[in-house]
Amino acid sequence: MRRLPVVAVALAFVAAVACTNDSPTTPATTTASSFMLQMGSGDLYAGTPQRVQVGVFNQTADGIQLLTGGSIPLSLVPADGGQPIQGTAHYVPAPGTTVASQPTLTSPSKARGVYELENVTFPSTGVWTASLSFTSDGHPQNLTTDFGVSDEPALPAPGQRAFATKNLTMADANAKPESIDSRAQDGAKIPDPELHQETIAAALAAHQPILALFSTPVWCMSQFCGPSTDALEQLAGTGPQDAAYIHVEIYEDHATNQVNAAAKQWLLRNGSLTEPWLFLIAPDGKIVDRWSPLFQVSEVRAELDRVAR
């Protein structure tokens, strides 16, 4: 199985060097550096409004920094020379991390997240280019990255019916704890048992609104799964009590690269898998919305409240 990284190539490196630079700096005070723009969103397709998330990284002699906070202008340009999509992308932090009011270069040990352009409807398929420009230390920076847009979604998408999946729960006595939540290793207890009480199939049969998060807190390449799982636990404690809040661990056995059956059904396509993904499912069993790799807790809560009425 090949895991598509969702800003993971940079963030995997970031995780290794997270302690090398703990002093946030703004682009105006950066010395010799190398910036990179990377697409964060996956499974983009034409004809339907979606969120597009990107990450901005800076490599200096002191290590990797992330651009966090505020907003940035973002342009999406089709390779066929068609009309570009332009707008202001606003910062979406990993839950529990700090947020600056203006774009700031920050150590990933203090802040990490993506910039999101909302309500993007791609008019055509094929190769597109994301681009943005800014000035750092008096030097113009023009960043681009290519990404693909398909004619239809490969993963479950809004408007489609949710899979009636029998994901692992606390009731599965024969399941290894770490296959229910990867944080339950070496004898540790499952840290969020309230997120593992119900299957998606049972919640669908009961006509409950559902928030289903597919994530692997320990093995997540993007470093966003743990904070996202914590955010789901927060939503479970404060959101509508008639809703089902379900965390689905990606791996049955990470050592052998064995994926849980539920994660396979929802996310594994052509040998590739991305994570994390959060799905909002209405009581009628249809997917209302989805988020990846990050979501804003307030936005998810507002949509859940509407669905649960």
Side-chain angles (χ1 to χ4, degrees), residues 258-277:
Q258 186 173 356
V259 178
N260 272 316
K264 283 183 182 179
Q265 186 176 29
W266 283 75
L267 302 183
L268 187 60
R269 299 292 184 273
N270 299 318
S272 298
L273 184 148
T274 60
E275 92 303 293
W277 282 90

Side-chain angles (χ1 to χ4, degrees), residues 213-230:
L213 175 68
F214 293 76
S215 69
T216 178
V218 169
W219 309 114
C220 190
M221 294 183 68
S222 71
Q223 306 293 305
F224 294 150
C225 292
S228 294
T229 307
D230 292 340

Side-chain angles (χ1 to χ4, degrees), residues 13-14 35 37 58 151 178 234:
F13 185 52
V14 162
F35 285 91
L37 174 68
N58 177 42
D151 58 349
E178 59 266 33
Q234 174 188 338

Side-chain angles (χ1 to χ4, degrees), residues 9-41:
V9 173
L11 280 177
F13 185 52
V14 162
V17 299
C19 297
T20 61
N21 189 341
D22 290 334
S23 300
T25 60
T26 63
T29 60
T30 303
T31 55
S33 61
S34 177
F35 285 91
M36 179 175 64
L37 174 68
Q38 192 163 359
M39 177 56 61
S41 298

